[in-house]
Every structure is written in structure tokens, then in C-alpha cells.
Amino acid sequence: MHPIVKLVAQRLALGALLLLAASALIFGLTEALPGDAAQAILGQAATAESLANLREEMGLNRPALTRYFEWLGGILTGDMGVALTNKLDIATSVASRMSNTLFLAFWAALISVPLAILLGLIAVRYQNRWPDKAISGVTLASISLPEFMIAYILIFFFAVKLFWAPSFANISPSMDLLDKLHAIALPVAVLVMVVLAHMMRMTRAAILNVMQSAYIETAELKGLTGFQVIARHAFPNAIAPIVNVVMINMAYLVVGVVVVEVVFAYPGMGQYLVDAVVKRDVPVVLACGVIFAAVYILLNIFADVVSILTNPRLRHPK
């Protein structure tokens, strides 16, 4: 078997095992939560008899291990079940919520990835000079602030004071693209500021590491300008670590948007998960948790595969 095929197969197998372990961990954590969906629906004033009847109806009185394997079997066949609190099909709800989260993540990535790479190239070109120090200082300041603080600062200035953007990012299928973009302007800005710094600093570090190579000095002796050396010779050879950090941040844009979605009341997966946790709706929490884990694991596997494919020693084994 070719070394690349073997390594990719190993990564995929490890990803499947991690996803299985993540599903068991998420199920265990939901079981450890105080109360249950029946208690959340009926409230504190519910009688023991009414709680017992509702738990029987919902299947909550069955052993946890039985419920886990039934749920796991449903997930493997594409059946996420129904929400305990409103009896709606979870897959249908997840589809609409996930499309909203991906819409938000797409526009944040479209802005942040090219901008991070460009700023990283500029920082390397003007290393230890004022452009490098200015870029590093601003990005370090943005990464030091928590997301909710950045969100509230932007809301205060751009929504409350200047009225340039809405403070609530509520979108619907009936809205046209421009209206949707106007609605998500502030949450996209928050996500860009959060992921931009990490990607830029890692891009800068990866390219600076490559700049120490002998072939870079050869390129400089050929008379190429500093930016040409960086763009044509250093950047392509630093692509593996850059792709890794980009994929990690792409995973964050999908998985880590819970705080941003809650602050802006955005109808995405993060808000859906928080609502389900409050209501103790275990099937919804499990579905959201497994989807988040799958996205994170798959993007990390993709980054590993790109790193493998960009390794000449694996592409051309002796």
C-alpha cells in the first residue's frame, strides 16, 4: 500500500473512533445534567405522578445505555429523532440552523483567510519594522479580548451610536442576499477579528521559518524583490502549517460560534444548542454535539491530509 493511502486511512479510522468517543462523552454529560426534559416541560410544581407519566411517554425511564445505543443506531441511519419539547423532527430543524451557521461562517472565512495571509506576508516583508509591529500589535489586542466583549463594543458603536448595523442578526429565507449581509455584518466582524489574529501570526511564523532555508538566499541572489521571494518561494513551502491553522480556525467558525450567536440572537446551531440545554432536550443536545464534533474532526483530518500530500518525502517514496 502506498504510504500516503495508508496514512490517510489511518487518519480516517482515528477520526471515526474519536467521533464515537465524542458521542459517548456528550451522552454521558447530558445524563449528568440536573433534571430532565420532563421536569423542564412541567416545571417545579409538577407532581411525581405527572412526571412519571411524561417520562414514560418520552422513554426517559429506560436505561441510559439502551437509549444511547438506540440513538447511535438512529444517527448512523440518518435518523436524529424528534425533539422532546416540541416533537419537531430534529434533522429538519438542524438543516435550517446549520445552513444559517454555515452562511455566517462562509462570509467570515471569505474575509478573514485572504486578509490573514496578506497581513502575514506584509509582516514578513517588513519584519521588525513599523508595519510588522503595527499588524502584530492590533491582532494581539483583538485576540486578547473575549468574543462577547468585542461583540458588545461593536454593538455599542455601530448599532447603538451610529445605527450602521442591527444589534440582532435575525435572518430568514425570504430575505435577499444584501439584507442578510447587512443583518450579519456585526457577527461576521466579531468572528473575523477573533480568527484573523491567530491565522496571521501563524502565517508569519511559518514563512519566517522557511525564510531561513538556503534556497531563499539563492532566490535573493537572482535579483528577485523581497515580496517576490516571499510570495513565490517562501509561501508555497510554508503552505502545510498555514493550512493546518486555517482549518482549525474554520472549525472554530462552525463549532465555536455559540457565544456570538447567543449575543446577536442569530438563528444558528449555537443558539439551537443553548436553547436545548436550557430545556434539557437531550436528543437535540446530542445531535448538535455530534455534528459539531464531526465538523471539527473532519476539518482536522482534511488539514492532516493536506500536510501529508504536501510532504515530498511521502509523495515520492524511495
Side-chain angles (χ1 to χ4, degrees):
M1 182 182 292
H2 195 281
I4 290 182
V5 177
K6 183 178 180 180
L7 285 173
V8 171
Q10 289 175 348
R11 294 297 191 278
L12 291 174
L14 181 59
L17 289 175
L18 285 174
L19 189 56
L20 181 63
S23 70
L25 178 62
I26 294 167
F27 188 88
L29 292 175
T30 56
E31 286 295 309
L33 290 173
D36 56 18
Q39 186 73 61
I41 292 171
L42 297 179
Q44 298 296 326
T47 63
E49 183 180 358
S50 61
L51 282 172
N53 291 335
L54 187 56
R55 285 171 180 150
E56 176 73 26
E57 181 184 340
M58 290 181 167
L60 298 177
N61 57 344
R62 290 177 299 162
L65 199 60
T66 301
R67 286 185 283 117
Y68 170 71
F69 281 111
E70 286 181 356
W71 167 80
L72 185 61
I75 288 290
L76 294 176
T77 58
D79 180 16
M80 295 184 181
V82 296
L84 296 179
T85 52
N86 55 21
K87 302 302 180 183
L88 294 177
D89 182 62
I90 295 175
T92 304
S93 300
V94 164
S96 62
R97 296 283 188 146
M98 192 65 181
S99 64
N100 289 342
T101 293
L102 291 177
F103 180 75
L104 184 66
F106 169 78
W107 288 103
L110 191 66
I111 297 170
S112 60
V113 174
L115 186 58
I117 293 174
L118 177 62
L119 291 176
L121 294 174
I122 293 173
V124 172
R125 174 64 182 86
Y126 298 100
Q127 183 186 3
N128 296 326
R129 294 159 66 180
W130 73 263
D132 179 25
K133 294 178 180 179
I135 292 171
S136 297
V138 172
T139 53
L140 184 61
S142 68
I143 203 174
S144 301
L145 293 173
E147 304 145 1
F148 70 88
M149 182 174 293
I150 297 175
Y152 286 130
I153 291 172
L154 294 184
I155 289 173
F156 178 76
F157 284 104
F158 295 104
V160 177
K161 292 295 183 180
L162 299 174
F163 301 102
W164 287 358
S167 57
F168 293 100
N170 191 20
I171 64 172
S172 64
S174 60
M175 297 171 64
D176 60 36
L177 180 60
L178 289 179
D179 288 338
K180 287 183 178 180
L181 293 178
H182 181 252
I184 67 170
L186 290 184
V188 165
V190 173
L191 292 174
V192 168
M193 292 178 69
V194 170
V195 302
L196 179 66
H198 189 208
M199 288 191 291
M200 189 286 298
R201 293 175 70 83
M202 288 302 295
T203 299
R204 178 183 181 276
I207 296 176
L208 284 176
N209 184 55
V210 173
M211 292 292 287
Q212 309 301 319
S213 304
Y215 60 83
I216 297 297
E217 185 177 351
T218 303
E220 291 172 342
L221 292 174
K222 289 180 179 179
L224 297 178
T225 64
F227 203 80
Q228 286 177 327
V229 171
I230 294 168
R232 294 181 186 178
H233 298 277
F235 177 69
N237 289 284
I239 197 70
I242 293 174
V243 168
N244 268 287
V245 74
V246 167
M247 286 301 104
I248 290 173
N249 282 278
M250 293 306 97
Y252 167 80
L253 289 178
V254 178
V255 177
V257 294
V258 175
V259 173
V260 174
E261 288 189 359
V262 170
V263 170
F264 290 99
Y266 185 74
M269 285 290 291
Q271 184 70 60
Y272 189 44
L273 174 61
V274 170
D275 292 342
V277 170
V278 171
K279 297 174 183 176
R280 302 296 188 270
D281 200 329
V282 175
V284 175
V285 174
L286 289 172
C288 293
V290 167
I291 290 171
F292 282 156
V295 169
Y296 190 84
I297 291 170
L298 286 174
L299 287 176
N300 276 275
I301 290 174
F302 179 78
D304 287 343
V305 171
V306 171
S307 298
I308 292 169
L309 294 176
T310 54
N311 190 333
R313 290 173 294 182
L314 294 174
R315 290 203 315 269
H316 308 289
K318 294 181 180 180

